[in-house]
Amino acid sequence: MDFKQLLAATCVAALGAGAQAEGVKVGMITTLSGGGAGLGIDVRDGFLLAVKGNDDIEVVIEDDQRKPDIAVQLADKMIQSEKVDVMTGIIWSNLAMAVVPAATAQGKFYLSPNAGPSALAGKGCHQNYFNVSWQNDAFSEAAGTALSNEAGKVFLMAPNYPAGQDIMAGFKRTYQGEIAAEVYTKLGQTDYAAEIAQMRASDADQIYFFLPGGMGISFMKQYAGSGVDKPVSGPAFSFDQGILGAIGDAAIGAKNTAHWSKDLDVPGNAEFVAAFQEEFGRLPSIYAAQGYDTGLLLASAAAKADVDDADAFRAALKEADFQSVRGKFSFASNHHPLQNIYLREVIKEGDLVTNRIVGTAATDHSDPYGADCNL
Amino acid sequence: MMLPERTLNIILFLALPLVAVIALALDEPFIITLATRAAILALAAVGLNLALGLGGLVSLGHAVFFGLGGYAMGILASHAQSFTPLDLGLFTLDGTKSMPIIWLVAVTVSAFAALLIGLLALRTAGVYFIMITLAFGQMFYYFTISWPAYGGEDGLSIYVRNSFPGLNTLDPIQFFALVFGVLAAVLWLMGRIERSSFGLALGSARQNAVRVETVGLSPFRLRLVAFVISGAVTGLAGALFADLNRFVSPTMFSWQMSGEFIVFIVLGGIGRLYGPVVGACLFVLLEHMLSGVSDFWLIYLGAVLLLVVLFARGGVIGALANGRGVHD
Amino acid sequence: MTTLLLIEQVLNGLQAGIMLFLMAAGLTLIFGVMGLINLAHGSLYMIGAFAAAAVAAATGSFLLALFASLVAAAAAGVVIELAVIRRLYDRDHLDQVLATFALILILSEGTRWLFGSFPLYLDVPTILSGPVILPGGIAYPAYRLVIILVGLAVAAGLFLLIGRTRIGIQIRAGEADREMIAALGVNISALYTMVFALGAALAGLAGALVGAIQSVQVGMGEPVLILAFVVIVIGGIGSIKGALVGALLVGLTDTLGGVLLPLALGGLMDASSATSIGSAVASMLIYVLMAVVLIFRPTGLYGTA
């Protein structure tokens, strides 16, 4: 029994596939209120910048408050009431897991501007799900490769939740050296004195950590004050433009991996950075870049195919015929990115703490889960 | 216009299916989904209301039962989905997609949890009771986040809604009818409990525990029974909520969830049978309408809540109905 | 694990406890005197941190920033008390929980509206930015030692205020018998406003002090609020001494549990499941502690029924 087909058939039969007028209607569900709002706002602003003035694309935006049940409810609203063709916007893996399988099963396209849980890249992949950002493991796989050259023992730290475990698994998959210790902290932890003491005491030569948002800010500030001088690195989430300002000088010198940086020398990137700054009065983050690319991808597909012709639209998406601000960008067979991942370093430019590219960590990187995907 | 509370209750209660039917006629399935959500949240709060309204037990941990009900559904359905039996050590259990069985498991598990938590928590009173129930909620919350077997923080997705004999649960209106039927049955049951000798004794234990003791009843046992029934009903709501979303996650255990149940009760009118129903409907409506107003819509939600607490004592029903509440 | 590391971790636990005490002291004072459950206490903590970050950014002075945190939180406390809180004193706990829950929504989103959605910058002053070497060769961040000292000073100050001053006498009398003290001619509502402002100022100070080594962002108050409640409930609500003991217990349990449990389990199972199960149990530990304390002492360690 082909479970997915059965599922799609039942859902379509139950809910009815609404016929659409011309143009593409996009439902964006993202986090716009509460503590994690910065990321959602960046994705939204980047996306809107990319589709600005494009009459083919109509956008409906809703705030999920970072709550999975609200996200599910909004997805129902987008599908049942707004009758959107394409959905996007979700920031967090757990919310994506709540929304994406149901949305794609109901025949909607989903473009992920952030978050790439492994469950959606392997067996759970779907022809209508396109990840425009990264698979969760990607940045740390690249980091594992890049840091292997410096060798030595590494101390790993991440919050104790699936994305944290994914990211550490990605690092361990490619890292050639020895793991000195592996520590999992409480999600949302704000004080890292105990972990820093463990780092000091361990024989590790360097620290690799994943602590998104406020957790990373707290850790970096405390680490800088502790006098431990082992080099730190991590995926870009802890060194993103939105939070570097809050960490300040304490972050300088830290290495991190990302698919994008504002100084990346590819066509269109400088223009994007300038336009974003002009429009919103702040520097774009990787989230803004991802939102922007998602908008460009959608616009490129909308220009080529009618969204009511799902096969043609899907093929147009798959071509990824747009000028990504990351440079070379295409989709692997599981509809996850094939892209370069760069090694960045936190530096100070005048008064501004920001990143610059110091090397390429992985070329044409794709995730390891694609083998399990039957697309 | 002031109405007798009983009339008002009937009107307010029938408003929910009326909205659903109108939405059906207008082909707005999302409104039906919203009405279903309101009915399920109402059911959870109706459960809490027995402990809180009648028993005076302010539990800030009812999300435990809500979450357990949700996970009962999630775990059973995920095992059915993957055709692997659930290994419980002593014996194995096959997963199931049948709602009646899931409900039975959800009610049993949450009643059992309520019994254990009640045995410990009911030794305390007042603020300490609020806080110890909160503590149990947090334990479950952190445990499910970091427990990898069933998805951790990512939660569990169930791809197709579970089935109920004779109904197509994928059809929004049929699922709504099912949920509403459950809500109506539970409300009827709660009405019976309130008027029973047990309900009267529980109410007196809230007002004056010593008086209850002098007639030979144990306030502790009355409260424990109320807490168990209350937890079981909230657990049932959890299973339905998970089925509505086809998804469970640790946020069902969060203290904000427990807080929202209390909000529903106070919003509607504390100690009134239909209070939680009105409160939940109003909350879902506010959330739906305000979230479009601005990025900072939670300010307005907060302001509405504050005004109700400060100035509309007795909640919405209290403001609309004449006369005192059922057991004020 | 070496003895030295263990000692350092104990120190970290105590220090975490002191940070919690700063927050919990105001909460327990307000509950003890007015019988009010204030969920919005975490928002006052946040207000202190944001005020400090704003003033530090404008003036570059950390001392001015600390002063601003006290003033801003106290002022916010006075406004909130006059507008909302004083209507809640004679209400039951349920109304208090709900009204202050609503205040959290308003204050959090209001702060986001004022300061934007991105975390703010607030750092420790340069003079305190490095580690100092303690006897035994432990390198310990100087700023954290300062937090310990401030916390102990606040504890001492509160004990003196409550135990030795006229206001303290009034406060204690108010706890014991509200009507009587009003009948004796004490302006009870002014006293309440003052106590609330004091509690708010303590929360604001804690926000600024802790904000310098953590993240100044909207929503920073809620996790610490829950912890502060755990603390005062363990200690016995209303008791400053209980808050201090409870804070130290929670700080030690949280810190040492997170470090020792994965190690202890490492002997029983393979390393990776030991870390993941150990961390899972460790994150529940303080709630287990609280439940156990309440089961054996239903009104906390130093509480009175």
Side-chain angles (χ1 to χ4, degrees):
Chain A
M1 182 176 64
D2 187 338
F3 181 68
K4 246 179 257 162
Q5 275 177 3
L6 171 77
L7 179 66
T10 38
C11 289
V12 168
L15 298 166
Q20 306 297 324
E22 279 172 47
V24 179
K25 190 164 180 183
V26 187
M28 174 178 278
I29 300 173
T30 195
T31 305
L32 300 173
S33 63
L39 283 68
I41 289 173
D42 270 356
V43 162
R44 178 193 63 186
D45 290 351
F47 184 90
L48 290 180
L49 183 64
V51 301
K52 196 177 167 189
N54 187 332
D55 296 331
D56 290 342
I57 295 173
E58 182 191 351
V59 190
V60 189
I61 300 172
E62 293 277 2
D63 171 21
D64 61 34
Q65 308 171 51
R66 200 178 174 171
K67 293 180 185 165
D69 65 298
I70 300 285
V72 170
Q73 183 192 327
L74 292 172
D76 282 345
K77 180 182 177 192
M78 295 287 185
I79 294 169
Q80 297 172 355
S81 167
E82 301 284 354
K83 307 209 181 344
V84 300
D85 310 297
V86 178
M87 288 169 57
T88 185
I90 292 177
I91 302 294
W92 319 97
S93 293
N94 58 332
L95 271 67
M97 288 305 296
V99 166
V100 173
T104 50
Q106 290 175 61
K108 303 298 170 191
F109 289 96
Y110 186 87
L111 311 179
S112 174
N114 201 55
S118 51
L120 296 178
K123 280 205 185 82
C125 67
H126 191 281
Q127 56 174 3
N128 285 353
Y129 172 74
F130 288 83
N131 186 310
V132 201
S133 45
W134 27 259
Q135 199 280 317
N136 281 355
D137 307 10
F139 289 2
S140 54
E141 277 189 355
T145 313
L147 294 179
S148 291
N149 306 328
E150 296 168 29
K153 294 183 174 178
V154 64
F155 187 109
L156 300 180
M157 179 166 77
N160 196 21
Y161 78 126
Q165 286 144 3
D166 270 8
I167 282 173
M168 288 301 124
F171 185 86
K172 287 189 282 184
R173 198 175 297 133
T174 54
Y175 186 67
Q176 307 287 329
E178 199 181 323
I179 309 289
E182 199 176 345
V183 168
Y184 288 98
T185 62
K186 186 154 77 175
L187 189 65
Q189 183 168 321
T190 51
D191 197 76
Y192 293 91
E195 287 77 12
I196 291 171
Q198 283 173 283
M199 289 170 187
R200 190 200 312 272
S202 89
D203 57 352
D205 303 302
Q206 54 178 332
I207 316 293
Y208 184 80
F209 76 97
F210 163 62
L211 293 170
M215 292 184 272
I217 299 176
S218 300
F219 170 70
M220 281 309 293
K221 282 159 88 171
Q222 293 164 21
Y223 187 77
S226 71
V228 183
D229 55 1
K230 297 171 181 174
V232 294
S233 56
F237 314 116
S238 317
F239 303 98
D240 171 63
Q241 198 60 51
I243 58 178
L244 276 181
I247 306 178
D249 293 356
I252 290 174
K255 297 273 189 7
N256 62 94
T257 43
H259 50 28
W260 177 85
S261 180
K262 77 173 179 14
D263 62 336
L264 183 62
D265 186 17
V266 297
N269 191 31
E271 291 80 355
F272 160 65
V273 174
F276 191 91
Q277 244 182 320
E278 163 85 9
E279 183 93 15
F280 304 108
R282 62 177 194 275
L283 277 175
S285 64
I286 59 166
Y287 310 108
Q290 289 162 190
Y292 187 74
D293 272 356
T294 306
L296 291 183
L297 169 71
L298 182 72
S300 76
K304 280 187 177 180
D306 182 355
V307 73
D308 291 336
D309 182 354
D311 290 331
F313 194 77
R314 186 179 309 116
L317 282 172
K318 181 85 201 269
E319 280 174 39
D321 186 14
F322 67 101
Q323 183 55 57
S324 165
V325 293
R326 292 169 243 180
K328 220 164 70 171
F329 179 95
S330 60
F331 285 114
S333 63
N334 62 345
H335 294 180
H336 279 62
L338 258 173
Q339 59 190 351
N340 288 350
I341 293 173
Y342 302 96
L343 190 62
R344 314 191 300 179
E345 183 183 9
V346 180
I347 51 155
K348 199 160 191 179
E349 283 179 359
D351 278 344
L352 181 77
V353 183
T354 186
N355 282 289
R356 73 174 171 141
I357 291 186
V358 292
T360 306
T363 310
D364 290 335
H365 181 271
S366 68
D367 63 90
Y369 299 99
D372 296 332
C373 166
N374 307 317
L375 281 181
Chain B
M1 187 181 65
M2 296 299 251
L3 294 168
E5 186 169 331
R6 181 176 283 273
T7 323
L8 187 71
N9 283 343
I10 294 172
I11 295 175
L12 289 173
F13 186 63
L14 291 180
L16 203 54
L18 189 68
V19 165
V21 169
I22 294 175
L24 183 69
L26 296 177
D27 192 24
E28 283 286 355
F30 177 64
I31 305 290
I32 305 177
T33 305
L34 271 188
T36 315
R37 179 181 164 86
I40 294 172
L41 291 176
L43 181 64
V46 165
L48 174 59
N49 201 24
L50 179 69
L52 192 153
L54 195 59
L57 306 168
V58 183
S59 161
L60 196 51
H62 255 52
V64 168
F65 314 120
F66 197 62
L68 282 174
Y71 269 88
M73 173 283 191
I75 290 172
L76 286 173
S78 75
H79 280 282
Q81 196 165 276
S82 60
F83 302 104
T84 48
L86 174 59
D87 190 354
L88 293 173
L90 295 175
F91 58 100
T92 60
L93 193 69
D94 277 333
T96 176
K97 301 276 296 179
S98 160
M99 282 194 198
I101 302 177
I102 289 172
W103 294 354
L104 190 68
V105 174
V107 165
T108 314
V109 169
S110 21
F112 186 65
L115 179 68
L116 291 183
I117 293 177
L119 275 173
L120 299 173
L122 285 168
R123 299 164 62 97
T124 65
V127 194
Y128 293 98
F129 182 79
I130 301 182
M131 290 302 148
I132 196 170
T133 47
L134 171 74
F136 281 109
Q138 294 291 95
M139 282 181 220
F140 278 88
Y141 176 68
Y142 281 111
F143 179 75
T144 42
I145 279 192
S146 42
W147 186 42
Y150 291 100
E153 200 215 14
D154 282 354
L156 265 176
S157 263
I158 301 304
Y159 296 101
V160 182
R161 194 169 282 155
N162 295 305
S163 58
F164 191 87
L167 287 178
N168 173 11
T169 52
L170 289 173
D171 180 9
I173 192 75
Q174 293 194 40
F175 185 58
F176 171 80
L178 182 64
V179 167
F180 189 75
V182 172
L183 176 64
V186 169
L187 278 171
W188 175 80
L189 189 71
M190 287 293 176
R192 290 288 299 260
I193 291 178
E194 262 182 21
R195 286 187 301 273
S196 70
S197 52
F198 164 74
L200 294 175
L202 181 64
S204 325
R206 183 193 68 214
Q207 285 156 346
N208 188 341
V210 180
R211 203 166 57 192
V212 175
E213 271 175 273
T214 51
V215 297
L217 291 167
S218 152
F220 179 84
R221 288 176 66 176
L222 288 169
R223 288 179 184 138
L224 186 61
V225 173
F227 196 71
V228 169
I229 300 175
S230 164
V233 171
T234 304
L236 177 61
L240 287 169
F241 191 71
D243 241 322
L244 171 72
N245 295 333
R246 302 168 303 274
F247 175 75
V248 277
S249 81
T251 47
M252 285 181 80
F253 286 111
S254 67
W255 73 272
Q256 285 92 344
M257 200 83 234
S258 302
E260 279 182 17
F261 297 153
I262 298 182
V263 168
F264 302 154
I265 294 178
V266 177
L267 209 54
I270 186 163
R272 297 166 195 270
L273 186 55
Y274 288 83
V277 181
V278 175
C281 293
L282 194 63
F283 190 86
V284 169
L285 192 70
L286 280 176
E287 199 175 50
H288 178 63
M289 294 195 330
L290 289 179
S291 64
V293 174
S294 93
D295 277 4
F296 306 103
W297 63 278
L298 288 172
I299 294 183
Y300 303 109
L301 184 66
V304 172
L305 285 183
L306 196 56
L307 291 176
V308 169
V309 181
L310 290 183
F311 301 111
R313 303 189 69 171
V316 174
I317 297 188
L320 292 176
N322 55 11
R324 308 278 293 162
V326 192
H327 37 249
D328 249 355
Chain C
M1 178 147 63
T2 63
T3 323
L4 211 56
L5 182 56
L6 189 66
I7 292 173
E8 186 177 352
Q9 296 295 29
V10 170
L11 199 58
N12 281 329
L14 290 175
Q15 185 262 142
I18 294 283
M19 291 206 283
L20 275 176
F21 169 74
L22 281 174
M23 176 77 177
L27 199 62
T28 206
L29 189 67
I30 289 171
F31 189 90
V33 177
M34 285 97 95
L36 178 91
I37 303 186
N38 180 24
L39 293 186
H41 206 68
S43 303
L44 296 164
Y45 172 88
M46 174 184 72
I47 288 172
F50 272 82
V55 168
T59 66
S61 158
F62 191 71
L63 277 179
L64 272 181
L66 283 187
F67 182 69
S69 74
L70 281 168
V71 172
V78 169
V79 171
I80 293 170
E81 204 273 344
L82 292 178
V84 177
I85 301 290
R86 62 172 41 187
R87 300 171 202 275
L88 298 171
Y89 293 137
D90 55 356
R91 299 288 189 88
D92 56 19
H93 292 323
L94 196 58
D95 283 1
Q96 298 174 348
V97 165
L98 209 61
T100 52
F101 183 74
L103 280 177
I104 295 184
L105 294 180
I106 297 172
L107 293 173
S108 285
E109 291 303 283
T111 307
R112 202 165 69 85
W113 180 67
L114 271 178
F115 289 93
S117 300
F118 298 92
L120 294 194
Y121 174 75
L122 175 66
D123 204 358
V124 299
T126 336
I127 189 167
L128 296 172
S129 65
V132 292
I133 306 297
L134 297 183
I138 299 173
Y140 205 75
Y143 186 76
R144 287 182 185 263
L145 287 180
V146 171
I147 289 186
I148 295 183
L149 292 180
V150 173
L152 293 177
V154 167
L158 279 177
F159 282 125
L160 284 179
L161 177 79
I162 306 278
R164 296 271 187 276
T165 63
R166 172 166 284 276
I167 289 176
I169 295 170
Q170 291 175 357
I171 288 175
R172 278 180 290 149
E175 279 178 50
D177 190 337
R178 215 182 283 192
E179 283 76 27
M180 185 54 85
I181 171 171
L184 289 174
V186 175
N187 183 345
I188 194 96
S189 69
L191 180 71
Y192 280 9
T193 308
M194 205 189 66
V195 172
F196 194 83
L198 176 63
L202 285 176
L205 178 67
L209 281 174
V210 175
I213 51 168
Q214 293 183 1
S215 154
V216 179
Q217 61 179 9
V218 171
M220 64 188 285
E222 275 92 87
V224 73
L225 169 81
I226 300 276
L227 285 181
F229 266 114
V230 171
V231 163
I232 68 170
V233 164
I234 288 178
I237 301 175
S239 157
I240 299 283
K241 183 171 153 200
L244 186 57
V245 174
L248 295 179
L249 268 178
V250 168
L252 283 172
T253 310
D254 202 26
T255 305
L256 295 181
V259 173
L260 296 179
L261 261 180
L263 281 181
L265 290 174
L268 303 173
M269 54 189 85
D270 68 286
S272 78
S273 41
T275 28
S276 108
I277 296 176
S279 327
V281 177
S283 62
M284 300 158 59
L285 217 52
I286 53 168
Y287 301 104
V288 176
L289 170 74
M290 168 169 154
V292 170
V293 166
L294 286 189
I295 287 159
F296 291 102
R297 296 191 68 108
T299 54
L301 295 176
Y302 297 95
T304 45

